[in-house]
Amino acid sequence: MKRRTVIAAGVAGLVGTALTALPAAARPGGRAAGRRVVVYYQTQYTDGTYVSPLGLTENAIGATHLIVGAVHLNDVNGQHAPVHLNDDPPGAAKYAPMWSDLKALRGAGVPVLAMVGGAAPGSFTRLDTEFDTYYPLLRDFLRQYALDGVDLDVEEDMSLAGVERVIDALRADFGAGFLITLAPVGTALSGGGNLSGFDYEQLYRDRGEAISWFNAQLYNGWGSMASTADVDAVLERGLIPQDKLVAGVLTDPANGGSGYVDMPALTATIRQLTRTYPDFGGVDGWEYFNSQPGGTPAPWKWAAEVSAALNG
């Protein structure tokens, strides 16, 4: 399971503020295009020190999208704040510097999405079975923080009709420029097993036009980027377009389990994929704070090397 749900306690700050909304036409990256370098950002604090994502733009290294996580929808009756970002309400004081930095990232042309779900169960069961109660909570959170999109990381059983209802509602509420991505395990797109309970290939047949791209998890036994084989297995089926497949990798051996591929091997695979698939959709990294080869002092270097391999 890739998504950690517990984050180290943060230092106190100002009360979180919402990002200023941009009109759809002015949002950077409103439509998915080109090769993407997507960075997941869940660890906002390490050892009590805030981890800023601004290195992604300050060093001009080619990151195209950032996905902040993880958003959880909790029991309405049992929770004072039914929407949580990791362990706290999104307006908690600890998140004030993060929301400010995410506004700056968006202003610099890097769209910001919210990752919903992950390894912690419950959010998608609630969206599936109690849609009228829980979907408005998600919608209002996305509006309040003026996010550019949402990444649906369904790692629990959910019906096909349920996930399609969520996608339809998001597209109706936020318009064509809003990014809707999903994060299945790699085998879910190549005819194998998955963690979500529904058939991703059928989902794509039904709602492909509404899906911006897939962040396919190619690690933890669900695939690998040590070679091109698992991307080949998806694209050779002929259903998922090249530009809607983003290959997900671990950025550090400690992040989430097995299957880390070191940078020399990863960039070799990326270069081969770009030669074979001219419209290959890109690479995403789980996660930012300790990304190699820069580690915690310079985690943005991962995106720099991946971008160079994708575009060089």
Side-chain angles (χ1 to χ4, degrees):
M1 309 291 279
K2 89 175 179 184
R3 310 302 190 194
R4 296 185 301 108
T5 61
V6 178
I7 300 300
V11 297
L14 299 175
V15 175
T17 55
L19 301 180
T20 302
L22 294 176
R27 288 179 183 168
R31 294 186 179 274
R35 292 175 182 159
R36 306 174 191 90
V37 179
V38 181
V39 177
Y40 279 91
Y41 174 55
Q42 185 179 29
T43 297
Q44 287 88 28
Y45 285 88
T46 179
D47 297 326
T49 300
Y50 172 62
V51 178
S52 172
L54 291 182
L56 294 170
T57 52
E58 289 171 348
N59 295 283
I61 44 71
T64 63
H65 300 79
L66 183 140
I67 302 178
V68 61
V71 175
H72 305 298
L73 302 176
N74 300 306
D75 179 8
V76 168
N77 293 325
Q79 295 285 341
H80 177 65
V83 178
H84 272 64
L85 180 65
N86 302 315
D87 298 329
D88 299 280
K94 64 185 286 185
Y95 292 131
M98 180 196 75
W99 292 124
S100 177
D101 286 352
L102 295 184
K103 180 178 179 180
L105 279 180
R106 296 178 70 237
V110 177
V112 176
L113 295 78
M115 187 197 94
V116 179
S123 296
F124 288 103
T125 297
R126 294 179 178 109
L127 285 170
D128 197 9
T129 62
E130 300 177 77
F131 178 85
D132 290 341
T133 297
Y134 288 96
Y135 174 75
L137 299 174
L138 174 61
R139 178 200 62 209
D140 293 349
F141 162 78
L142 296 170
R143 284 177 174 166
Q144 180 180 358
Y145 292 96
L147 295 165
D148 298 292
V150 65
D151 182 56
L152 304 177
D153 188 355
V154 187
E155 298 191 14
E156 58 185 307
D157 283 347
M158 187 179 195
S159 69
L160 179 64
V163 71
E164 289 180 353
R165 179 165 58 174
V166 171
I167 291 170
D168 291 346
L170 288 166
R171 190 56 75 214
D173 284 334
F174 292 96
F178 190 74
L179 299 171
I180 301 174
T181 67
L182 291 99
V185 295
T187 53
L189 302 179
S190 60
N194 74 70
L195 300 174
S196 308
F198 55 83
D199 185 331
Y200 276 90
E201 292 187 323
Q202 188 59 52
L203 173 65
Y204 191 77
R205 293 185 188 98
D206 294 347
R207 295 294 187 274
E209 288 298 314
I211 296 170
S212 302
W213 71 82
F214 293 100
N215 294 303
Q217 300 181 43
L218 297 178
Y219 46 88
N220 284 355
W222 302 104
S224 174
M225 280 286 281
S227 75
T228 68
D230 290 309
V231 171
D232 295 336
V234 175
L235 296 180
E236 287 173 0
R237 292 177 72 83
L239 177 63
I240 309 300
Q242 295 178 27
D243 67 339
K244 290 196 176 185
L245 180 61
V246 172
V249 303
L250 299 176
T251 62
D252 184 278
N255 290 354
S258 62
Y260 172 73
V261 178
D262 66 24
M263 187 59 73
L266 175 62
T267 53
T269 299
I270 291 170
R271 291 198 220 30
Q272 188 173 348
L273 287 171
T274 61
R275 289 192 293 268
T276 304
Y277 306 108
D279 296 324
F280 175 54
V283 176
D284 76 70
W286 180 263
E287 61 170 314
Y288 178 66
F289 81 105
N290 61 349
S291 300
Q292 299 299 329
T296 53
W300 49 267
K301 288 185 177 180
W302 178 89
E305 296 210 21
V306 168
S307 178
L310 281 169
N311 298 300

